[in-house]
Amino acid sequence: MSLQCGIVGLPNVGKSTLFNCLSNAKAQAANFPFCTIEPNVGVISVPDERLNRLAEIVHPGRVVPATVEIVDIAGLVKGASKGEGLGNQFLANIRETDAILHVLRCFDDDNVVHVDGSVDPVRDKEIIDAELQIKDLETVENRIRRVEKIAQVGNDKQAKVEYEVLMAYKDALGQGRSARSVTFDSREEQQAARNLFLLTAKPVLYVCNVDEVHAATGNEYVERVREAVKGEGAEVLVVAARTEADIAELETPEERQMFLEDAGLQESGCNRLIKAAYALLNLQTFITAGPMEVKAWTYRKGWKAPQCAGVIHTDFEKGFIRAEVIKYDNYIKYGSEAAVREAGKLGIEGKDYVVQDGDIMHFRFNV
């Protein structure tokens, strides 16, 4: 399974600069609104130091990290949901993403135009929230018109469930609350909710774009954002996009590390952002390791061995027999799969085994 995130924000907040850092796709970034016309899509490798450590032991033909797909759309403005600016036509491009990366401008710079004339990340957040909510309300109301009669006069249970879900969303959105504030108990309701692909139902990560001076510590703008979103259960991440762009231009890992240390950072903001997006969606990684490749596979926290086997191939899940599991620390400690077996540290697990992050897996199956 792959993770797809959509980047949203007002024009000139640093969305495309951040996208360039993440994907090295070089989206156009310039100091005027609506610079990004076509949506940009980039595929990013998920940083995982464990793969390199394993590769030093296994010497595989290749190393394959997990990936994240990032979609960057035109900057949204107030009224975008009704056709203002250029953002409205691109909202469909992020409708099926797994999560939203909401970039907020948290830096002062007289040379970078702000579409609303002043820097206020909380106001900017509220503008984007409102536009996404209005778009979702439009989607919900259109869907209600289609299913209302079927739900009320027919015997279609699915339509009745969907209608109840839609009405709950309509009530929340009409009050200016995002769809993610509504929860459903039954599996049928949860599935009906997912099928709507509402923008404000997606988990959100607020990315505060600061200047280099505040890359490590944040600033007053960041604190305002933290205060504004504390009731949402959302994470706030501080990134200096322009600094990240400078780091991305450096040729060697040693140069990049020196730059980070000079900025008071232990890890790049791009790496932290990707890891935060994974955590936001309760995603984890299991690993397969052999002479052909060392590869990371993405799964949802709490999945059992057969479900994870299905990530590799559906036949693995259908014909699952057992999983051979080596803990990452044991693989590093003993230095080879054979040594792990000899030490009695290789686990044989059945269908009820809950896979743990970093497990090195080998699946036995028969179809």
Side-chain angles (χ1 to χ4, degrees):
M1 63 184 298
S2 60
L3 168 67
Q4 189 179 65
C5 296
I7 300 181
V8 301
L10 292 175
N12 288 356
V13 298
K15 293 190 306 90
S16 295
T17 301
L18 182 63
F19 174 84
N20 287 340
C21 302
L22 288 166
S23 66
N24 291 320
K26 304 307 177 190
Q28 185 183 12
N31 183 24
F32 54 90
F34 314 125
C35 171
T36 305
I37 304 301
E38 295 298 327
N40 296 297
V41 180
V43 178
I44 307 154
S45 296
V46 177
D48 193 335
E49 299 79 4
R50 296 172 299 191
L51 299 181
N52 296 328
R53 292 287 305 279
L54 288 169
E56 292 170 0
I57 296 172
V58 178
H59 303 294
R62 62 177 183 168
V63 176
V64 184
T67 59
V68 177
E69 190 172 279
I70 302 290
V71 182
D72 174 33
I73 66 170
L76 303 175
V77 295
K78 190 172 183 178
S81 58
K82 299 300 182 184
E84 292 294 326
L86 298 174
N88 180 52
Q89 59 187 301
F90 299 120
L91 287 174
N93 292 306
I94 59 170
R95 188 167 294 283
E96 295 189 23
T97 59
D98 300 292
I100 297 292
L101 307 178
H102 188 159
V103 182
L104 297 166
R105 176 173 170 175
C106 294
F107 65 89
D108 292 308
D109 189 339
D110 293 338
N111 296 316
V112 179
V113 177
H114 191 290
V115 70
D116 283 326
S118 63
V119 178
D120 185 341
V122 174
R123 176 203 59 207
D124 296 351
K125 169 198 173 306
E126 291 172 350
I127 289 173
I128 298 296
D129 284 350
E131 295 306 319
L132 298 183
Q133 288 165 8
I134 291 168
K135 194 65 179 177
D136 278 349
L137 185 58
E138 177 186 310
T139 299
V140 167
E141 289 177 337
N142 287 341
R143 188 63 188 168
I144 286 174
R145 284 193 284 272
R146 295 180 191 176
V147 303
E148 187 172 15
K149 286 186 178 180
I150 301 173
Q152 291 179 344
V153 303
N155 293 317
D156 190 327
K157 292 183 179 179
Q158 186 174 343
K160 291 180 184 295
V161 170
E162 183 178 356
Y163 180 73
E164 293 300 320
V165 168
L166 287 165
M167 293 305 293
Y169 276 146
K170 180 181 178 181
D171 182 59
L173 292 164
Q175 295 178 38
R177 293 189 288 121
S178 293
R180 71 181 70 91
S181 68
V182 183
T183 57
F184 300 100
D185 295 326
S186 74
R187 184 173 299 178
E188 292 77 13
E189 289 174 325
Q190 292 167 2
Q191 186 59 55
R194 280 193 293 270
N195 290 343
L196 294 171
F197 295 106
L198 297 182
L199 295 165
T200 65
K202 303 178 189 303
V204 61
L205 174 66
Y206 292 103
V207 183
C208 292
N209 184 17
V210 301
D211 53 28
E212 182 176 348
V213 175
H214 298 103
T217 60
N219 57 22
E220 183 183 345
Y221 292 130
V222 175
E223 292 310 311
R224 290 186 203 170
V225 172
R226 292 190 198 279
E227 182 66 24
V229 306
K230 65 181 182 180
E232 297 183 22
E235 186 173 348
V236 175
L237 189 72
V238 178
V239 172
R242 187 175 295 177
T243 302
E244 295 290 327
D246 292 338
I247 293 172
E249 294 294 328
L250 298 175
E251 295 184 0
T252 67
E254 292 77 17
E255 287 178 309
R256 297 188 197 106
Q257 189 58 41
M258 287 179 61
F259 197 120
L260 285 170
E261 290 174 0
D262 288 343
L265 299 169
Q266 295 182 337
E267 186 178 24
S268 78
C270 290
N271 283 3
R272 289 185 288 112
L273 191 154
I274 297 167
K275 290 178 179 179
Y278 252 57
L280 185 71
L281 291 166
N282 286 322
L283 297 179
Q284 294 183 323
T285 300
F286 73 86
I287 302 168
T288 53
M292 290 185 62
E293 66 179 15
V294 168
K295 185 169 182 176
W297 303 85
T298 301
Y299 70 99
R300 294 203 182 277
K301 185 178 180 180
W303 276 14
K304 295 182 178 180
Q307 290 174 285
C308 288
V311 174
I312 298 177
H313 197 285
T314 53
D315 284 349
F316 284 27
E317 182 173 8
K318 292 176 183 176
F320 178 88
I321 299 173
R322 66 179 183 271
E324 298 176 357
V325 183
I326 301 174
K327 297 301 179 183
Y328 170 78
D329 288 343
N330 284 334
Y331 207 116
I332 299 300
K333 177 180 178 180
Y334 292 101
S336 71
E337 182 177 328
V340 170
R341 288 179 182 271
E342 187 175 337
K345 296 296 184 180
L346 185 144
I348 305 298
E349 305 292 351
K351 293 182 178 181
D352 291 330
Y353 176 69
V354 177
V355 176
Q356 303 299 305
D357 185 56
D359 278 354
I360 299 162
M361 312 285 292
H362 181 71
F363 298 105
R364 300 292 183 181
F365 71 102
N366 184 32
V367 290

